[in-house]
Structures are given as C-alpha cells and as structure tokens.
Amino acid sequence: MDIKSQNDSLKHELKTAINRVLEHQGYCLGPETESFENKFANWLGIKYAVGCNSGTSALHIAAKLLNLSPGDEVITTPLTFVSTSWALSYVGAKPVFADTEENSMNICPESVRSKISKKTKAILPVHLYGQMCNIDALQKISLDYNLYLVEDAAQAHGATRNGKKAGTVGDISTFSFYPGKNLGALGEGGALLTNSFDYYSRAQSLRNHGSSQKYYHDEIGFNYRMEGIQAAALSVKLRKIDQWIQKRREIANIYLSELSDLPLHLPKPELNSQPVYHLFVIRHTERDKIAAHLAEKNIQTSLHYPIPLHLQKCFSELNYNKGAFPNAEKAAAECLSIPLFPEMSENQQRYVCESIRGYFN
Ligand SMILES: Cc1ncc(COP(=O)(O)O)c(C=O)c1O
C-alpha cells in the first residue's frame, strides 16, 4: 500500500474537509462523524453505523453489546490480526478457535460446528484479505444453535458473496479504518454496524463514556469516539471507494493471469464471491526466500499472519498446541502478501510479476 500517493491525490479535498472541522470545531464526534456514519451505513445498506476510534474498540463494544462475560465461549478464527480475539478477552470471554478453509483461509464452517459447546454464545468470523467467509453457512449454524453472529469486516469494505455485502449479515459487524485499510483514515478509526436500534443506541453510549445525556452515565463506558477530522477525511475517501475497489480487482486479475503458470498457490475467489483484495496473498513453502528475493529488488512484502493466534504467547493460557489447526498453520507458514494498491502503475505491476517469475527461473 502506498498511502502517500493516495492522500496526495486527494490533498485538496482532504484539506478542505479538515478546514471545515477547524471552522465548526466538532473534533470529537460532532457533525462530521454523524455525516460519515450515515453515508457509510447507506453505502453498506445497513441501518446504523457507530463511528469509533478503531476497529479494535468497535469489536470491544460488540462484545459488550452481546453481554459476553467470563465463562462464555466465542468461536473464531486463528488466522487474523490479534485484535479480533482481544475483544473477547477484554470482556473475559474465551476465544475458541476453529480451523480455516484450505483455499480461502477463512474460518471453516464445519470446523466451527465441531467446536460448539453449551458455553458457546457467538461466532466471530473475519472476512480475511477482503474475501468474504462462507457467511451463509455460518449464519445457518448461528440460527441452528441460537448463537450471535458478529462479522469482523475490518479488511472487507465492499466485498460481496452471494449478493450480500460483508458486514450486512451478522447481528453486528465491525470495520477498521486504519490508514492501510481499503477505506483508511488519516490515523485511527473504526465503526460498528447493525440493523438493531437497541444495539445502536447502547453502542453510541458505550463509546461515549457510557453516557447518552451529558454527565449521566448509565453504565461503565469507554472513550472510543470517532474524531471529527477522521470522519471528515473518511467522507472524502468514501466517495472514491467503489473506484478503488474496481482498480484493486483489475490489478488482482493481472496478477492472477500473469502468475498463473508459476508453482505458487494464488488466491482463488470462492463461487459467487467478489473479493476486494485488501491483500493479495500468494503461498509457497519457500516464502521467506521469495520475500528475500523480492526485497533485493526493492519490492516490499509482508506476512499476514505468520503466527496464528492459538500459538501466540498472549493466548498461552488457552493451552493450544502446534498442530491443532493444520490449515491455519500451513497458511501462516506459506503466506506472502505482495504489493497491491489502487494507485499502482502498470510498470510497477509488471515489475512485481517479472521479479516473482525471476525467482523461479
Ligand atoms: C481482521 C482485523 N480485525 C481487527 C482489526 C483491528 O482494527 P484497528 O487496527 O482499527 O484497531 C484489524 C486491523 O488491523 C484487522 O485486520
């Protein structure tokens, strides 16, 4: 991701938006946040959005809304950014991991089904790398067992599967607007989305010190408010997102055709799935050598994610061992994210393809 080139291309609009905040002084929540919330909810086709100061805080609020507490279990994926599970730990609930699908690297519905216990309260999938997980199958499981379904859509703004947009299926969904995300702020940002008015109004209070009326605090809350300047910048960028998604898909298609004859495992969209390619992750057993080869050619790569959550030190109390989730562990050992961003030039795309090819020649 080249955040500078994106922000440079919008410099004028971003400065105008920031100046507007300097005029009306709505720095914390305020008119910009409200306006962005409405636009983002509209864009997704969801009733309510609650702007937060990160995707992690939105997840924490989601866990509070479901009244998760010690003793409760939530089934989730081990192949994600750590904060998906932290939201559960923050409220004392236990993350119970399920394995991922071999191809999509998203949580596997059959594995989820096998982890359900009397203590299970919710399923928390992630739409990894910008491709939706099998949300229909997960929704069915949640209905069969009377479980809540929360979507971590931090990486999947605009992704669809079977005609449904990421973040529109679960009881609650959360997004991140971290600068490197497909819709990124000029700092931290996140949002919680829901069609439930009750969740919406409680989430508004929870993110604002547990207060729906100034100086009255109904429950213990947090300072998780979205800043006006971030909301103003996000409104500017939201106008571009469909165009950016289109560009990401075009670049992904070039990678998919140019690299198709190489001995690499390439992302393969699931049936009826339109990923937004937040990340383009190739897989190979010699991933570290390929990364070193590309680094020599000045091509930056990254790993998403080299250590699955069940093997992280912070979750050692959960007592998982190596080998517990073979698909997730294999993906973690082989994954390599190569450059993909809407402003990428044809020359840059060609250079990346040639350089990867060079490793195998
Ligand atoms: C899948 C996933 N969940 C949650 C988060 C947390 O979002 P934030 O960094 O905005 O707190 C991220 C961001 O990195 C993410 O990729």
Side-chain angles (χ1 to χ4, degrees):
M1 177 90 195
D2 182 352
I3 297 168
K4 186 166 189 321
S5 69
Q6 178 179 100
N7 290 341
D8 280 353
S9 74
L10 294 170
K11 213 172 221 168
H12 178 69
E13 288 101 313
L14 289 171
K15 281 185 174 168
T16 307
I18 292 168
N19 282 338
R20 215 169 45 235
V21 181
L22 294 176
E23 285 307 315
H24 64 53
Q25 310 267 326
Y27 294 115
C28 306
L29 300 179
E32 302 295 336
T33 299
E34 204 179 320
S35 161
F36 172 70
E37 287 171 338
N38 289 335
K39 284 184 273 199
F40 189 61
N42 252 333
W43 180 72
L44 279 173
I46 281 261
K47 277 194 190 152
Y48 308 110
V50 180
C52 300
N53 58 0
S54 73
T56 306
S57 54
L59 278 161
H60 186 184
I61 292 178
K64 293 289 294 179
L65 292 177
L66 302 184
N67 296 319
L68 296 176
S69 51
D72 292 340
E73 295 181 357
V74 177
I75 304 176
T76 188
T77 174
L79 196 64
T80 178
F81 184 63
V82 66
S83 68
T84 307
S85 275
W86 267 343
L88 308 174
S89 305
Y90 291 166
V91 295
K94 183 176 170 188
V96 171
F97 298 113
D99 205 359
T100 50
E101 294 173 330
E102 166 137 47
N103 174 53
S104 73
M105 297 178 269
N106 271 315
I107 195 165
C108 167
E110 288 83 61
S111 183
V112 168
R113 209 177 265 276
S114 74
K115 303 292 172 195
I116 293 171
S117 78
K118 285 205 174 72
K119 295 178 182 169
T120 309
K121 287 280 157 47
I123 307 173
L124 171 54
V126 173
H127 303 298
L128 195 68
Y129 309 147
Q131 164 153 248
M132 278 181 80
C133 65
N134 189 348
I135 197 73
D136 287 338
L138 294 175
Q139 189 181 37
K140 176 155 189 339
I141 297 172
S142 72
L143 294 172
D144 287 350
Y145 291 88
N146 200 19
L147 305 173
Y148 296 112
L149 180 61
V150 178
E151 297 175 67
D152 180 346
Q155 305 188 355
H157 320 68
T160 63
R161 185 160 175 168
N162 293 327
K164 295 166 197 162
K165 265 190 173 174
T168 65
V169 181
D171 300 286
I172 298 170
S173 66
T174 61
F175 286 82
S176 165
F177 306 120
Y178 184 75
K181 294 289 191 262
N182 285 17
L183 181 62
L186 301 178
E188 306 281 355
L192 180 146
L193 280 289
T194 183
N195 281 317
S196 151
F197 180 77
D198 289 347
Y199 286 154
Y200 168 63
S201 51
R202 190 170 165 215
Q204 281 189 315
S205 162
L206 279 167
R207 72 159 172 196
N208 190 20
H209 297 291
S211 170
S212 40
Q213 193 188 341
K214 204 167 184 186
Y215 301 127
Y216 289 81
H217 303 280
D218 309 324
E219 64 177 315
I220 291 173
F222 310 92
N223 180 355
Y224 283 170
R225 296 178 292 229
M226 174 175 272
E227 294 186 347
I229 285 180
Q230 299 309 337
L234 285 164
S235 287
V236 170
K237 294 192 178 192
L238 187 62
R239 295 201 287 268
K240 295 277 176 188
I241 190 159
D242 290 318
Q243 195 180 315
W244 288 338
I245 289 172
Q246 179 57 26
K247 201 74 203 150
R248 282 179 181 274
R249 287 181 176 147
E250 282 168 25
I251 298 168
N253 282 335
I254 288 170
Y255 279 156
L256 288 172
S257 74
E258 291 294 315
L259 304 175
S260 64
D261 60 322
L262 297 179
L264 283 169
H265 189 298
L266 297 176
K268 184 167 164 274
E270 297 289 304
L271 194 67
N272 296 326
S273 169
Q274 284 79 38
V276 289
Y277 295 101
H278 170 55
L279 297 166
F280 193 93
V281 177
I282 61 175
R283 278 186 282 167
H284 196 279
T285 48
E286 290 170 15
R287 164 287 291 290
D288 293 337
K289 287 188 191 159
I290 299 173
H293 168 82
L294 294 177
E296 267 176 30
K297 312 240 166 246
N298 273 327
I299 296 173
Q300 198 186 355
T301 58
S302 200
L303 306 181
H304 300 93
Y305 294 90
I307 305 167
L309 301 195
H310 65 288
L311 301 178
Q312 291 285 355
K313 197 169 163 194
C314 64
F315 290 126
S316 57
E317 279 178 14
L318 298 174
N319 286 323
Y320 285 102
N321 292 319
K322 212 161 184 228
F325 302 111
N327 285 346
E329 289 171 34
K330 189 166 186 290
E334 296 182 355
C335 63
L336 184 67
S337 308
I338 62 173
L340 196 159
F341 50 95
E343 299 77 18
M344 210 174 169
S345 70
E346 277 180 30
N347 275 346
Q348 287 174 316
Q349 294 161 39
R350 201 172 310 119
Y351 183 63
V352 171
C353 291
E354 280 166 9
S355 303
I356 295 174
R357 185 169 294 282
Y359 176 80
F360 294 101
N361 288 339

